[in-house]
Amino acid sequence: MATATAQVSYLEAKKGILSWLFSVDHKRIGLLYLYSLITFFLVGVTLGLLMRYELLNPGKDLVEAKTYNQIFTLHGVIMIFLFIIPSIPAVFGNFFLPIMLGTDDVSFPRLNLLSWWVYIIGAVMALSTLVFGDGPADTGWTFYAPYSVKTGTNVSMSVLAAFILGFSSILTGLNFIVTIHRLRAPGMTFTKMPLFAWALYATSWIQLLATPIIGITLLMIVAERTLGVGLFDPSIGGDPILYQHLFWIYSHPAVYIMALPAFGIISELLPTFSRRTIFGYKAIAYSSLAIAFVGYFIWGHHMFTSGMSGTARFIFSMLTFLVAIPTAIKVFNWVATLYKGSIHVEPPLLYALAFIFQFMIGGFTGLILGALATDIHLHDTYFVVGHFHYVMFGGTGFAFFGALHYWYPKIWGRMYNKAVANIAFVIFFIGFNTLYFPMFISGLMGMPRRYYDYLPEFHVPNIVSTVGSWILAIGLLIMLGNLIVARFRGRKVTERDPWGGITLEWQTPTPPPVQNFDSLPELPLNGPYDYENKPQIKD
């Protein structure tokens, strides 16, 4: 009886909405995150489209200046705190980390469920600013003081929402660290662990150690607004530069909370679709830890124009270039993995290749911003917006959708229409680059970011960007429509390893049973990507 129960698919084990909302199965919690994240992502996309439409022409096209400020603030809060930070760890980490480690769940299943509920509470608080109080915050997602302590909009609710969301991130990170240390399959040493698990391990330490700093900082904003204690407001003795330091001490490492899991995804996709052992396994694994460590010390490059000593500027600039080294190590090893591989061009690989291309652009433009002289010229221009979106959306966003296409048949036991997926990818890729690349040009021309209006000389790049946003939205709708249709009408997948992968999730039945495995998983002889000694998988 126990064996029969264990082999029932996690999708069919229990029925009813409550069996999902209060499930402690890591796979169901991963899907709860997925459905929530996609919903909030679409809200963020809608707000982004409104912003781009407003910027189609100089002057007013759609909304007033204050409303525009509120729209880009809410767009940033949703995309940063509700989508990109939790995205890959919460969805694919929850679903696949225990399976890739060869265990049946995370260390603390109930804490895992609590993490999702905390996330939902924070999300509801963030979106409630649309209908309660004096409207959403108009400060930008950075909540810079002293404006954030003086504006009459609903800043307090927004920062409290971000504070609550931080707890969800901390709980997830804690759970993953303990799971990786305690629940790996017998024989799976750290150096035989999949690179996605390595990426989540490095990410979890940042979540655990850095997130409390932003939590305290955001509470200080609320205290300043309600009690006027003089922390950040210079008119009552506060220091706005102190706020920027505290904010970026968290928010720069947070960039790696967003990026490191994406690196892990790419490190899984490339070996599978090139059918060969990943090049430089240990270099990729250890570079994740190096990025997480060095990432703590480079927050000052966001503040070169805020007022700091020449020595501090030099040190922060040098450290910024230092973090590029482990990142470049990863890119080199990914490209070397593809070299002379048996390339199978499938939709997930297209997203992985787009990730490398776009992340390289984001990375190189980041070095331009890390250099003192060029940063002074480009600070707070649209060049920064272009750089940030190439790293976060062109990088992590594309990795997220690549992972969704990669693990889709394993999660739902269905296969999407690959031809439609390829078409959607092409439109999505063209739309992304049409939308964001002109921002580098308008930034170099001197167009400041977050401005409601602009001079006529910036008109052409803004027209191109807005048209790009429409193309991107079309690609996104085709992609999501294809995946939704496949959930109900897609070809049924029963084979365990439809892509020819090698990590342990491909040894489980499709979709996985409640207890994840129906037999003891078998580790490859010489590490997780040893294709020469790949275990035989029986469907």
Side-chain angles (χ1 to χ4, degrees), residues 166-503:
F167 276 100
S168 174
S169 183
I170 291 171
L171 295 177
T172 299
L174 174 68
N175 219 341
F176 285 178
I177 289 173
V178 178
T179 301
I180 290 170
H181 274 276
R182 304 286 298 177
L183 297 182
R184 298 191 311 277
M188 182 183 284
T189 62
F190 261 80
T191 53
K192 290 186 176 180
M193 198 166 65
L195 287 167
F196 183 53
W198 269 102
L200 292 177
Y201 184 69
T203 305
S204 298
W205 279 111
I206 305 176
Q207 290 175 292
L208 197 64
L209 298 178
T211 308
I213 298 172
I214 191 67
I216 294 168
T217 306
L218 295 176
L219 282 185
M220 291 166 76
I221 286 282
V222 177
E224 186 82 324
R225 286 176 61 86
T226 55
L227 304 175
V229 291
L231 295 168
F232 305 129
D233 184 356
S235 66
I236 51 176
D239 183 0
I241 302 298
L242 171 65
Y243 174 81
Q244 293 192 28
H245 277 291
L246 291 171
F247 180 83
W248 288 114
I249 283 174
Y250 163 78
S251 295
H252 193 79
V255 169
Y256 302 111
I257 294 177
M258 307 176 213
L260 279 170
F263 297 163
I265 295 290
I266 303 306
S267 300
E268 297 299 330
L269 297 185
L270 295 183
T272 297
F273 294 103
S274 56
R275 299 291 194 274
R276 58 165 297 189
T277 302
I278 194 160
F279 190 87
Y281 168 85
K282 288 185 179 179
I284 294 177
Y286 297 151
S287 63
S288 294
L289 297 180
I291 291 170
F293 179 74
V294 179
Y296 277 106
F297 304 105
I298 61 176
W299 78 88
H301 71 217
H302 294 274
M303 302 169 56
F304 286 153
T305 62
S306 298
M308 63 171 63
S309 71
T311 304
R313 288 176 179 172
F314 171 77
I315 292 173
F316 280 123
S317 180
M318 185 185 67
L319 289 171
T320 300
F321 279 83
L322 193 63
V323 81
I325 296 174
T327 308
I329 288 173
K330 286 183 182 295
V331 175
F332 170 79
N333 285 293
W334 290 333
V335 175
T337 301
L338 291 168
Y339 180 64
K340 290 188 176 180
S342 178
I343 306 295
H344 288 59
V345 180
E346 299 281 3
L349 180 66
L350 296 177
Y351 283 93
L353 297 177
F355 169 94
I356 295 174
F357 172 74
Q358 289 160 176
F359 189 81
M360 290 285 287
I361 294 176
F364 283 132
T365 52
L367 292 177
I368 293 172
L369 294 170
L372 284 173
T374 47
D375 180 80
I376 299 299
H377 175 70
L378 295 169
H379 188 85
D380 266 350
T381 68
Y382 257 82
F383 191 92
V384 179
V385 181
H387 155 72
F388 186 70
H389 282 83
Y390 262 86
V391 173
M392 293 293 96
F393 193 3
T396 303
F398 272 68
F400 178 87
F401 290 116
L404 189 57
H405 284 81
Y406 180 52
W407 281 314
Y408 190 96
K410 179 60 68 176
I411 294 173
W412 286 287
R414 300 267 184 175
M415 180 59 81
Y416 48 82
N417 186 315
K418 292 182 183 179
V420 175
N422 288 335
I423 293 170
F425 165 79
V426 171
I427 298 172
F428 196 54
F429 176 78
I430 292 172
F432 173 86
N433 286 284
T434 308
L435 167 56
Y436 293 111
F437 196 82
M439 293 183 182
F440 291 127
I441 298 169
S442 55
L444 287 168
M445 293 168 66
M447 180 175 169
R449 64 172 175 165
R450 295 179 173 173
Y451 274 35
Y452 168 71
D453 201 0
Y454 55 82
L455 297 172
E457 53 260 43
F458 303 128
H459 195 190
V460 172
N462 276 284
I463 291 176
V464 177
S465 278
T466 301
V467 171
S469 72
W470 300 338
I471 299 172
L472 182 143
I474 292 170
L476 180 65
L477 289 176
I478 295 173
M479 179 222 296
L480 294 180
N482 184 36
L483 296 178
I484 292 170
V485 168
R487 172 67 184 92
F488 302 100
R489 298 181 182 177
R491 176 177 64 82
K492 285 190 176 181
V493 177
T494 56
E495 62 263 43
R496 299 184 183 218
D497 192 8
W499 298 124
I502 192 171
T503 41

